Amino acid sequence: MKIVMKVMLFNFVVLFLPISSSEFVRVTIRGESSIGKTDDNFICATLDWWPPEKCDYNQCPWGNAGILNLDIKNKIFVNAITAFNPLRIRLGGSLEDLVVYDVGNAVKECPKFRLQKNGLFGFSNGCLSQTRWDELNYLFNQTRALVTFSLNALYGKIASREDKLWIGEWNPENARQLMEYTLEKGYKIDSYELGVDPGVINRIQDPVYLDKVAHTYRNVSRIVKKYSPKAGAWVGEAGGAYNSGGKNVQDRFVDGFWGEKNRYLDQLGMASSLDHKVYCRQALIGGFYGLLNTTTFVPNPDYYGALLWHRLMGKEVLAASHDGSPKLRAYSHCSKNKPGITLLLINFSNSTFFHVVISVYPFQKLSERRSQREEYHLTAKNGYIQSDEVLLNGTPLQLTNSSDIPLMEPILVDSYSPVCVAPDSFVFVVFKDKRAFACV
C-alpha cells in the first residue's frame, strides 16, 4: 500500500511540472535606417497626488507615497532617482486637476485632500504649499531629475451635476503664478502638461488588448506626424492596471513582461518602435505598481529593467524581427552614448529555452578582432515569476550597505555564439563590434 501511494504522488508531480524544450531562432536586425526615435530620456516615472485615504477593493496601498506626504529625503529614494542620471519624473495623476498652488495671491486658503462623496474621484480639493514646492525642487536639483508638471486644468471651472461635466473656461492665473515663482527661484522644470487622460492605457493588463494597444500607438503616431509634425507622442501615464494596480503582480517580476504574460518591458519596446518619445510609468512609488516599494523604498523588479533600458537603449530604434515562436519578442536600438547595437529579448514561455542567432544587416564592423558581446540576463528568484526579487546573471540585485543601487555588470560572451534566453526571462544584449548605418 505504501508503494502505491508513492507511485501516485510521483505521477502527480510529473504531470504538473512543465517540460523544458529548446528552440533555435534567428533574429534579424535591419540597420540601414531607424524606424523610430525616442527622447534621450524615454524612461519616465510618475509621482502621484493620492493621499493615504485612497482605497480600492478594501485595500489602501498608497500609504505616505503621495506628493504631499512622501519622505523625499529617504536615502534609498534619493539614490534610486540619482542612479538614472537623469530620470524624467512626471508630477501628476487623477487628482492633479483638484490641486491649487499656494504661491502668489491667487489662493486664499491651502486645504488638505479629504474624502468627499460627491467630489471628483471621491476627494475634495488639495493644495501644494510653497514650502512643499521648495522641498520638491531641492530633491529634483539634488538628483538631477527632469521634471514634467501636470497643471490643474479644471481650476476656475464649475462642475455640472446634471451631466457630470465641468463647464466654463480654465482660469490660468494660479498656474501662471506657480510658473512665475518657479522662474524667480531658478527652479528648472523641463515641461508642463495640461489635460492628461489617466485611463488611456488602463486596459492593457488584459492580453486580449495587446494588439489593440499597438494599433493605438500606431494611430497616435500617425496623427501627430500628420497634424503636428514638430511634436512627439508621449505615453503620459501607464501602470498596467487602474485603481492602484494589482497586488503581487505590478510589484513583482512578472510585471516586466506586459504582453502575453503581463506588463512593462514589452510596452517599452512596443511604444518606442512605434515612434513614441517618452513613456511615463505609473508610478515611481505608490500603489501596487510603483517601481519602488511603497513602505521600504526598496526597488521592485521593474525598477532594474527600467534602469537597464535607460542605460543601454539609445534614441534610434531599429527593426528587429524573427519567424520563430510568438512567445519570443525582440526589440533593438542603437546603443546609448557609445557605438554598437543593443537588443532586448523577452521570453514569454515558461518552459522553452530559445537559442537565438542574431544577424545585423547592413552594418559597419568596428573591429577586425573577434570580440565579445555583453549580456544582461534578468530572471526571477528560484524561477518564481511572482517573486519580488530579481537576479542579474544569476546574482540577486540588492542594495549595498550604504543603500546605493547595486552595480549591474554584464557577462561577456563570444559574439558569434547563440544567445540562450531562459524561460520567463529578459535579456539585454550589447554588440560593441557592430554599428548599424542608422546609428552613425
Side-chain angles (χ1 to χ4, degrees), residues 419-433:
V419 180
C420 181
V421 188
D424 289 329
S425 73
F426 322 110
V427 186
F428 287 91
V429 184
V430 180
F431 295 92
K432 298 181 291 184
D433 63 336

Side-chain angles (χ1 to χ4, degrees), residues 3 20 65 110 112 121 143 230 261 288 426 435:
I3 296 176
S20 296
C110 192
K112 293 184 178 180
F121 301 106
T143 60
K230 293 184 179 180
K261 285 279 186 187
F288 294 122
F426 322 110
R435 179 164 59 187

Side-chain angles (χ1 to χ4, degrees), residues 1 44-45 112 172 255 259 348 356 363 376 384 406:
M1 182 65 180
C44 167
K112 293 184 178 180
D255 195 59
F348 289 136
V356 180
F363 70 93
Y376 303 79
Y384 178 56

Side-chain angles (χ1 to χ4, degrees), residues 83-136:
F84 278 81
N85 190 33
L87 174 64
R88 183 182 294 279
I89 296 178
R90 171 181 172 266
L91 276 68
S94 300
L95 298 184
E96 65 192 42
D97 291 327
L98 299 181
V99 181
V100 294
Y101 318 128
D102 189 22
V103 295
N105 55 12
V107 175
K108 295 181 180 180
E109 58 181 26
C110 192
K112 293 184 178 180
F113 285 119
R114 58 182 176 81
L115 291 170
Q116 183 173 302
K117 188 174 182 180
N118 61 346
L120 186 64
F121 301 106
F123 284 91
S124 66
N125 284 357
C127 174
L128 173 64
S129 69
Q130 181 174 302
T131 299
R132 187 59 171 175
W133 188 229
D134 292 338
E135 293 171 346
L136 286 165

Side-chain angles (χ1 to χ4, degrees), residues 311-316 318 332-343 360 363-367 371-374 376 415 429-440:
R311 290 177 175 179
L312 301 176
M313 302 287 259
K315 294 189 297 183
E316 300 291 342
L318 306 175
S332 184
H333 288 223
C334 299
S335 294
K336 190 166 188 177
N337 298 328
K338 58 184 178 182
I341 297 169
T342 300
L343 173 69
V360 182
F363 70 93
Q364 176 185 4
K365 193 170 180 60
L366 298 178
S367 173
S371 64
Q372 294 178 309
R373 63 173 182 258
E374 298 177 353
Y376 303 79
S415 286
V429 184
V430 180
F431 295 92
K432 298 181 291 184
D433 63 336
K434 296 180 177 66
R435 179 164 59 187
F437 291 154
C439 304
V440 177

Side-chain angles (χ1 to χ4, degrees), residues 10 29 31 39 58 89 98 109 114 165 172 192-194 197 201 205 218 262 267 276 283 302 332 348 388 405 410:
F10 176 77
I29 301 172
D39 186 81
N58 298 316
I89 296 178
L98 299 181
E109 58 181 26
R114 58 182 176 81
L165 295 176
Y192 289 93
E193 179 182 66
L194 192 64
D197 175 7
I201 312 285
Q205 83 275 17
R218 193 173 291 109
N262 259 331
Q267 287 290 302
H276 283 60
D302 274 355
S332 184
F348 289 136
D388 61 358
I405 300 301

